[in-house]
Structures are given as C-alpha cells and as structure tokens.
Amino acid sequence: MFVSDIRKEFYDVIVNQRVALLVSADVDALCACKILQALFHCDHVQYTLVPVTGWQVLETAFLEHKEQFRYFVLINCGANIDLLETLQPDEDSVFFICDTHRPIDVVNVYNDTQIKLLIKQDDDLGIPSYDDIFRDDEEEGEDGDDSGNESEGGSEPSGKRRRFDEGAVERRIERRREKRDWEARRREILFDYEQYEYHGTSSALVMFELAWVMSKDSKDMLWWSIVGLTDQWVQDKITHMKYVTDVGTLQRHVSRHNHRNEDEENSLSIDCMRISFEYDLHLALYQHWSLYESICNSCYTSSHFKLWSIHGQKKLQEFLADMGLPLKQVRQKFNSMDLSIKDNLREVIEESSNKYGMKDIRIQTFSVHFGFKNKFLASDVVHAAAALLENIEKDESGTDNFIKALDSLSRSNLEKLHHGIKLAKKKLISVQQTIASCICTNQILSQGPFLYCYLMEGTPDVKLFSKPMSLSILSKYLLKAFVRSTKNKRCRLLPLIMAAPMDVEKGTVIVLGIPPEAESSDKKNFFGRAFEKAAESTSSRTLHDHFDTSIIELKTEDRSKFLDALITLLS
Amino acid sequence: MFCEKAIELIRELQRASDGQLPAFNEDGIRQVLEEMKALYEQNQTDVNEAKSEGRSDLIPTIKFRHCCLLRNQRCIAAYLYDRLLRIRSLRWEYGSVLPTSIRFHMCAEELEWFNQYKKSLATYMRSLGGDEGLDITQDMQPPKSLYIEVRCLKDYGEFEIDDGTTILLKKNSQHFLPRWKCEQLIRQGVLEHVMS
C-alpha cells in the first residue's frame, strides 16, 4: 500500500519503536540511510543497521532479526518481488519500503496491512487496477446453487428437468469461459506491467522530503540527497528529463538554505558548508585530477573523440590547441593550473566542444564547499563512494566496504573520501583501457537481437569487473563507445549483454544486460524477465541474487546454451 | 652492588606503560628481602662486636649497611604501592570482575586488597543518591547524548537491553543504543563508538 502522508503513516509510527534498517549496497541507498540515521539521532529512535547485498543476504538478515523487531525499513530493496511470500513474516511485522526499483510487485501494492511503500505516486507507475488482477472466488457458491436446483428439479417431470439441466450446464460453461478469458487478460496485463524494469525517484530525495516536511532538514541532508540523485544519473538509471526535473526541485531547496549566506554582515565562516548550483563540465573528477587525464577518462569526451584510436588522439590535441591550452598546463594537477586559464575554463571548453559536436559538455549539478581546501562536485562524491563500495584491494567482505563507503559520506571523514577518489580514478582508467582493447580487438559481437561481449579471464583488471556496479558502468560506456565507432547502422540500435568472470573457484560468470543507447532512451530494461525465461528453458544453473533483475550469476559451462536460448527468445 | 635488585623492580614497573600491571615479581621481592636479611644480620654482629670490643672503625660500615637497608625498604614500599595504585585504577576501568589474564598478574595479597577496595567502593556508592545508590564508575566523561551510535566489530551474539528486548550483534552492523548499556562492550572492544 502506498503511504500518502509519509510523516503520519511512517515516521510517527516508528518514532517510539525499535526499527531494523536493511539497506542495499548502492550510493543512493547509502545517502538515504544517512538522512534517515540523522533523523533517528534527532529523535532518539533506537535502530539497527544491517547492510544487504542481495536477496539471500536479505532473507538471512530478516530471519536473524525477526524475533527482535516488528518494524523493518528496507532501502532500495524489496519492492520488485512478492516480499511476504519470500520472507514469510509473522502477522504483526510491518515493512516500510523505500525503493527505486520498478515495477513494484502488485502484491506489495495491494497489501493493506503489512507492506507500506514510501514511494511517491506521481511517478508514472502504471499499476494495473485491482479488479484486473485479483478476483474473489464466487464460482463455487454458484455451482453449489445450481446443483441444488438440479436436485430440486429432479422431483419434477422429466421435461422440466432437462430444461433446468441445460440451463445450469450452460451457465457453468459460460462462467468457465469468462474465467479463462479473465485469466488470459490478467496474464497479459501482468506481462506488460512486469516486462520492463526501470528506476523511479531517488530514495535519498524521498527521505529528504520527509525531513523537510518535519522541518528537520539540514545542509548535510540536502547534500546527501543531491549525491543520491547524482548517483542515479551517473549510473544512467533515470532519464535526462527526470534528472532535470529533480535537479530543479533540489535547486529550490538549495536556494532556501543559501538565503542566509547573502547577508553581508553575518556572513558564514569559511568552515561552514556551502552548497551551490553549478552548470559544470561533464568531466569526471576533473578538479581532483589533471584536465588532460579527466578528458581522456571521462565517458562523454572519450567516446566522442574516439580516444582508443590514433586519429582520436590527434583530434584531442587539436581540441586542446583550439582552446589555447598549453599541454604542460593541462597535464598538471587541476589545482596548480594557472589562474588565468582556470577563470574562463568552462566557457572556453563549451565553445570549442560545440565545434567538435559535443553539445552537452556542461551539465546541471551541485557542488559543496567547506573549509579552504575542500570543494567537491556531487559526481566526485558519487564516484568515490561507488569505488569504495566495490573496492577489491584488500579482499574484504561486502559489509566492510559498505561501512567504509557509508563513513566516507560524512564530512569528518575526508581521508576516506580522498581514498575513494583515488580508487575511482584507477577504476575509470581501467574502464577506458578495457573499452579500448574491446573495441580494437572487436570483442563485441552481434548475436542478432543483441550485442554480446565477454571479458576473458586474462584481461587486466578483470577482478574489478566481477562487481555489478563496475561492470554496469563498463558496459554502458562500452555501448556508447561502440555505437560511435561502428559503421553498421543496425547494430547501433541493439542492446548489449556483457559477461565477465565472477568467481574463478566456483566457476561462475556475472551476466548483465543494458538497454540500447539512444538520445531519448527511457532506460527500460527487459533483460530481467528474458534471463529468467532463458534460464528456465535451458535449466542453466543461475543465481538471480541481485536486486536489479538484469544482473545474474551463471555457471561458466552453461554460458553457451543460455545465450542460444536468449537469442531464440528475443528474435 | 647492594640495592640493585630493588632498582630492577622499580625499573620493571616503569617499563610497563600506562597503568598496565606486569606480573608480580615474587622472585625479585624475595631476593631483595634476603639481601636485607643478610645485611641486617651482618649489621647485628658488627654492632654487637663494636659494643663489646669498642671497635669504632666498624661504625661507618654499619652506617652504610643501614643506609642500604633503608634504601631497599623504600624501593620495595614504592613497588608495592605503585602496584596498588594500578590495581585500584583497574576497578574503574574494568568494573568489578577482572579478566583472568590480569588476575594472574596479582599475588594473593593484592587480590585480597582488591576485594576489600571493591567492597568499600560499593558501600560508598550505596550510601549516595538516596535509596538506590549511585554508580559513579559510569560516565567518566560528561555524556553528550542519551543514545550513541555504535558499530559492531566482531560477532558477539545476542545482547539484552534494559526493556528486555534482545539485539543481535553481528559484525559490521550499526546500532543506536542507550549509552550506559554500550559502555561495557565498548571497553571490551566488541563495539566501536561512531562519531559522525
């Protein structure tokens, strides 16, 4: 059931209770969790935070905690499957789900008592109406009446009896036909509804609005909701229109908070946090790197210039020369560049980019500024936190990384954030190198209804791509680069399936599918259902453990038959 | 040279940093006491000799030995007293039940002293604050809030809080709990206080 007044039906209910928070491992969930934790600290709500990385971990965590807690809050997990059936909770457990995964399972929508969805209903949800999918069984009663009539009719002369018999039988046949029709329609409606997987409003934004409604919002919470929204955009989960709309909402909040800064007499100290709206460059981490490296390793610029080819490198040099930026300056750390160059950098780059066909080099985003040294763009923090979440360096468990990433979002843990930025740089460099090698060695093959690319085991940094978020960033950038490099017009419209070795000992690969690349793409992904059906039909050993149904784990031996099944399914 | 053993004892304590209690050096004390006994006996005979035979050239030796005896006595007293101070601070740090590793380091008399100290502290605490008494070993630093956020560093299992409900402490889970319940576990290293 959808919660209409999030304050009365969610917060006021749990404020005097003990709550279990089950949080998924992505940056948007981390931000929503931080906001909710801050609210709980204000009101002394006792809670327990448990990180969950997949459905199995969620079930285990639920089993462990179900004796002690009645109220569970799930962040970025749980909306897209029948939760009550999977978890089998007691009658009095209540679940509050704040999830961006769509489509929301119909059982979750229509359950009135145990499942409360903290999701805004103005997202285009397209939920089928109740009568189309659920129906009370009245047929037995009517059948019973009919047989009753039959037996009564039996005492009358045979002519009448025959008439009654025929009438009853006809009615029964009619009803059965109706039921079959209704069920066929129901299957169709549900198939249409559940076919495409996509994402809705950021959970961090929902939590921030809760804080705002209670007048307990602060600049830290606003910053976290900005990071949550930017994460959705960096991971390409929402459409551009939605991003711009949500940025508009957040911009109003930012100006509301910045109202105090404008007063000249009481200007804030330099250590206070200032958030500002920026129309900044679409270059990843450019303020913490050198401009040259940032241009080479950002998806947008590298795919436009085609930097994996020599021709592309030459174009980049031309581009830099066109802007009048000397190579020595551009290869330095950004903070050490000459002030005269840095002043007009954005406008200069925008002008030259327009000449080279890059119209969207500038994007709407936010930056935060506290202290003399610390200035971060929202996308910087997103990249850093995502790199920390999927850190493979020390072979730590998923929950250790979760805790580190959660800590890095606080302002007092700047070393962790800087460590994250360092890891993010390494990740971006490996992504670009892998893209370059895949395109130059033509590893992306067209299988008919989709493109397919498999990362061999000996590829450098292949361990990095055994994690779902890194692999999905790689596949999105790879598809963008491929679309710009291929001459085959038909291939440009195809979706991509990417596979990489996940666990060498267990012999599994991670497979994920992404929708085709298009300017006005609605980011709807049908691979979730396709994978399920293909796995069923070939009885391949798969594990659909991830909250995004388009990411699965598959045994290496079953790879070829799984792919064949997918090809037949989708062509 | 005399009194060296005694200085060894003092140095041992100085090396143990920051209030840690090293093992009770039975041997060292015994050796110092033996040395003192030997010196005392020598002094006795010399004094008797000096008195009976009037040998005043023994007097400096007697004085020297007496000084050594006083020095040994002072060193041992300092050793024992410093250990007592450390044991006293253990009560404030660990509570009334000491971990067995520390108990091994104490001799029987020190244990006895610890128990007596515990009893007198408990009597004092009971006499404060009206009927229930006041536990002054809690909140050694003024608390900033009623509840604190803690993170679990190792798998501990179930933990019961005041209203009877249990919490499962699993590695890397975070909890927001009343401060007084967490202090013990923080000291033991199971939980870590998270400041944000």
Side-chain angles (χ1 to χ4, degrees):
Chain A
M1 167 176 119
F2 286 98
V3 155
S4 44
D5 184 344
I6 191 171
R7 179 186 193 175
K8 286 209 197 86
E9 298 178 41
F10 166 56
Y11 201 73
D12 287 343
V13 170
I14 59 170
V15 79
N16 292 318
Q17 310 283 340
R18 293 182 45 240
V19 184
L21 272 182
L22 302 174
V23 180
S24 152
D26 66 270
V27 183
D28 183 30
L30 287 179
C31 295
C33 169
K34 282 275 262 201
I35 298 178
L36 199 54
Q37 275 183 307
L39 286 174
F40 284 167
H41 285 198
C42 272
D43 288 318
H44 293 312
V45 177
Q46 297 185 48
Y47 68 88
T48 294
L49 169 66
V50 183
V52 290
T53 43
W55 294 115
Q56 288 180 341
V57 179
L58 177 63
E59 281 174 48
T60 333
F62 177 71
L63 284 172
E64 284 170 356
H65 288 96
K66 72 175 184 176
E67 309 289 319
Q68 297 123 20
F69 292 97
R70 241 188 86 195
Y71 292 95
F72 291 84
V73 178
L74 274 65
I75 302 191
N76 271 2
C77 50
N80 48 353
I81 59 157
D82 187 354
L83 204 61
L84 296 180
E85 175 139 346
T86 324
L87 297 181
Q88 303 281 335
D90 298 328
E91 288 284 322
D92 56 354
S93 302
V94 180
F95 295 87
F96 293 97
I97 304 181
C98 185
D99 193 348
T100 57
H101 291 100
R102 306 277 181 271
I104 311 178
D105 193 280
V106 289
V107 178
N108 289 346
V109 175
Y110 288 116
N111 179 305
D112 280 334
T113 48
Q114 291 188 274
I115 303 226
K116 316 269 177 183
L117 297 167
L118 305 175
I119 295 173
K120 291 204 274 198
Q121 270 185 291
D122 51 282
D123 278 350
D124 51 344
L125 293 168
I127 299 176
S129 67
Y130 185 78
D131 295 319
D132 282 342
I133 18 182
F134 297 105
R135 175 168 153 152
D136 301 322
D137 264 324
E138 304 155 352
E139 288 87 74
E140 279 109 271
E142 289 176 26
D143 272 346
D145 280 342
D146 267 351
S147 51
N149 282 344
E150 266 183 49
S151 53
E152 276 176 30
S155 55
E156 289 180 336
S158 36
K160 272 199 184 160
R161 196 199 303 160
R162 235 176 281 129
R163 224 188 328 130
F164 272 133
D165 272 349
E166 278 174 18
V169 166
E170 264 181 39
R171 269 199 300 269
R172 231 182 304 154
I173 293 179
E174 179 70 34
R175 230 173 290 120
R176 271 199 218 126
R177 192 159 51 84
E178 258 182 52
K179 190 173 175 189
R180 270 199 301 270
D181 284 340
W182 179 84
E183 285 197 352
R185 238 181 311 132
R186 174 180 186 270
R187 267 198 300 271
E188 214 183 287
I189 291 179
L190 275 180
F191 179 74
D192 283 335
Y193 177 61
E194 293 177 353
Q195 188 185 32
Y196 286 95
E197 183 192 55
Y198 59 104
H199 287 266
T201 315
S202 146
S203 314
L205 198 52
V206 172
M207 289 296 164
F208 179 74
E209 299 210 329
L210 167 67
W212 176 50
V213 160
M214 300 196 294
S215 299
K216 286 184 179 153
D217 58 325
S218 66
K219 280 203 184 136
D220 277 305
M221 293 189 202
L222 178 57
W223 178 245
W224 287 324
S225 65
I226 291 174
V227 173
L229 173 66
T230 315
D231 171 64
Q232 283 199 316
W233 181 74
V234 165
Q235 303 257 348
D236 226 10
K237 286 185 184 167
I238 53 175
T239 61
H240 190 68
M241 275 309 305
K242 180 140 180 66
Y243 175 69
V244 171
T245 323
D246 287 341
V247 162
T249 322
L250 283 173
Q251 195 182 357
R252 287 197 286 276
H253 289 293
V254 168
S255 13
R256 180 173 56 91
H257 276 274
N258 281 341
H259 190 63
R260 280 174 58 206
N261 293 2
E262 293 171 16
D263 193 348
E264 291 254 341
E265 291 152 18
N266 304 328
S267 60
L268 290 176
S269 110
I270 196 77
D271 280 329
C272 288
M273 187 184 205
R274 288 175 174 76
I275 304 178
S276 47
F277 174 77
E278 310 254 349
Y279 193 36
D280 214 330
L281 298 171
H282 193 175
L283 296 172
L285 300 174
Y286 78 94
Q287 289 177 350
H288 302 274
W289 221 346
S290 68
L291 192 59
Y292 185 76
E293 295 249 17
S294 179
I295 296 182
C296 290
N297 291 312
S298 298
C299 163
Y300 188 68
T301 42
S302 91
S303 58
H304 269 271
F305 284 127
K306 303 199 187 106
L307 286 176
W308 51 85
S309 63
I310 303 189
H311 178 68
Q313 302 273 351
K314 283 208 196 117
K315 265 182 101 179
L316 174 62
Q317 309 282 2
E318 272 177 37
F319 174 68
L320 291 171
D322 184 61
M323 292 194 287
L325 300 176
L327 263 181
K328 230 177 81 168
Q329 287 290 329
V330 153
R331 283 193 196 259
Q332 268 188 348
K333 267 179 77 79
F334 187 77
N335 289 332
S336 335
M337 272 172 68
D338 274 348
L339 262 176
S340 53
I341 301 183
K342 273 201 280 190
D343 272 341
N344 277 348
L345 190 63
R346 292 184 208 165
E347 286 80 20
V348 163
I349 291 192
E350 189 175 10
E351 227 180 276
S352 299
S353 315
N354 279 330
K355 285 191 220 154
Y356 283 80
M358 297 193 289
K359 300 263 171 5
D360 296 323
I361 192 76
R362 285 179 83 170
I363 44 139
Q364 300 180 345
T365 185
F366 297 90
S367 75
V368 73
H369 184 195
F370 49 94
F372 286 102
K373 279 203 289 186
N374 307 310
K375 180 166 195 280
F376 298 100
L377 286 179
S379 54
D380 297 343
V381 180
V382 166
H383 281 291
L388 282 173
L389 264 181
E390 300 199 326
N391 187 4
I392 49 162
E393 270 185 358
K394 287 201 197 131
D395 216 16
E396 286 167 343
S397 72
T399 42
D400 281 331
N401 289 338
F402 180 93
I403 296 290
K404 290 215 177 77
L406 192 65
D407 279 343
S408 73
L409 290 174
S410 308
R411 273 193 292 147
S412 46
N413 290 326
L414 281 178
E415 347 65 57
K416 292 203 176 133
L417 189 62
H418 284 295
H419 180 55
I421 292 184
K422 215 165 53 135
L423 290 173
K425 287 183 194 167
K426 278 195 212 150
K427 191 164 95 160
L428 284 173
I429 295 179
S430 345
V431 164
Q432 289 302 324
Q433 286 175 347
T434 318
I435 292 181
S437 77
C438 282
I439 295 198
C440 294
T441 56
N442 285 326
Q443 279 191 306
I444 309 174
L445 309 161
S446 161
Q447 302 283 356
F450 54 84
L451 300 166
Y452 173 68
C453 179
Y454 179 61
L455 286 183
M456 313 295 269
E457 250 154 60
T459 325
D461 299 318
V462 77
K463 263 195 79 179
L464 181 60
F465 300 121
S466 65
K467 303 277 179 184
M469 276 205 299
S470 313
L471 189 60
S472 95
I473 291 262
L474 171 67
S475 29
K476 295 195 163 108
Y477 289 4
L478 182 59
L479 187 58
K480 288 200 171 83
F482 179 75
V483 155
R484 295 197 53 92
S485 76
T486 182
K487 295 200 179 38
N488 186 337
K489 290 231 173 90
R490 207 182 68 83
C491 279
R492 290 195 200 149
L493 305 170
L494 295 177
L496 171 67
I497 291 189
M498 191 93 192
M502 185 164 186
D503 191 331
V504 182
E505 291 152 8
K506 287 197 261 174
T508 53
V509 289
I510 177 172
V511 182
L512 66 80
I514 57 173
E517 170 69 21
E519 281 278 326
S520 55
S521 152
D522 57 0
K523 316 281 180 204
K524 291 199 181 186
N525 194 335
F526 56 73
F527 281 109
R529 301 290 157 207
F531 284 167
E532 270 175 33
K533 290 215 179 94
E536 257 180 63
S537 64
T538 57
S539 52
S540 316
R541 293 158 286 175
T542 55
L543 188 62
H544 297 256
D545 191 42
H546 202 260
F547 296 123
D548 282 329
T549 50
S550 57
I551 303 181
I552 63 167
E553 191 177 341
L554 172 70
K555 281 267 183 201
T556 328
E557 301 90 39
D558 298 336
R559 200 164 36 105
S560 35
K561 62 177 176 168
F562 182 78
L563 276 176
D564 290 333
L566 268 178
I567 296 176
T568 31
L569 193 65
L570 294 172
S571 40
Chain B
M1 200 49 231
F2 297 128
C3 305
E4 274 194 7
K5 273 277 162 286
I7 291 293
E8 271 295 322
L9 288 177
I10 305 276
R11 274 207 206 102
E12 191 190 303
L13 270 188
Q14 198 192 30
R15 252 181 259 133
S17 52
D18 257 354
Q20 269 179 9
L21 193 70
F24 187 74
N25 198 342
E26 284 268 3
D27 255 359
I29 299 253
R30 196 175 35 83
Q31 283 173 1
V32 174
L33 288 175
E34 273 174 16
E35 188 183 299
M36 282 174 80
K37 188 162 170 213
L39 282 171
Y40 184 72
E41 274 165 11
Q42 285 173 359
N43 251 7
Q44 269 302 90
T45 43
D46 274 356
V47 160
N48 286 340
E49 209 176 299
K51 264 206 214 151
S52 55
E53 289 168 30
R55 283 182 65 185
S56 49
D57 58 336
L58 290 177
I59 302 218
T61 326
I62 295 175
K63 279 204 178 139
F64 172 67
R65 284 202 205 102
H66 191 65
C67 283
C68 291
L69 279 171
L70 286 177
R71 180 125 178 93
N72 275 332
Q73 181 192 44
R74 192 176 172 201
C75 286
I76 290 193
Y79 178 74
L80 292 173
Y81 183 63
D82 192 69
R83 284 182 66 89
L84 277 185
L85 288 181
R86 291 180 192 212
I87 293 173
R88 185 175 72 174
S89 68
L90 287 179
R91 167 65 183 88
W92 290 83
E93 195 179 310
Y94 285 97
S96 40
V97 178
L98 292 180
T100 42
S101 53
I102 295 190
R103 256 196 294 210
F104 277 146
H105 288 187
M106 303 201 300
C107 74
E109 288 87 8
E110 286 175 335
L111 277 171
E112 176 64 38
W113 185 87
F114 181 73
N115 289 333
Q116 297 283 13
Y117 179 71
K118 262 196 318 191
K119 275 199 205 129
S120 58
L121 183 62
T123 325
Y124 178 62
M125 290 201 287
R126 241 178 285 131
S127 71
L128 304 167
D131 280 331
E132 313 118 20
L134 178 70
D135 190 350
I136 52 180
T137 59
Q138 280 194 351
D139 288 340
M140 300 287 278
Q141 281 164 338
K144 293 275 193 286
S145 57
L146 282 178
Y147 292 86
I148 51 170
E149 172 143 7
V150 289
R151 176 176 303 155
C152 201
L153 296 175
K154 10 186 153 136
D155 276 332
Y156 180 76
E158 302 220 336
F159 178 59
E160 195 172 327
I161 56 175
D162 286 341
D163 54 0
T165 45
T166 45
I167 300 183
L168 181 71
L169 292 179
K170 223 180 160 201
K171 186 164 189 236
N172 282 333
S173 55
Q174 287 192 208
H175 309 269
F176 191 61
L177 300 171
R179 161 180 282 271
W180 54 93
K181 286 307 287 189
C182 307
E183 277 199 48
Q184 265 293 341
L185 289 174
I186 295 181
R187 282 203 203 111
Q188 286 175 25
V190 174
L191 295 178
E192 175 194 15
H193 181 32
V194 176
M195 286 165 270
S196 56

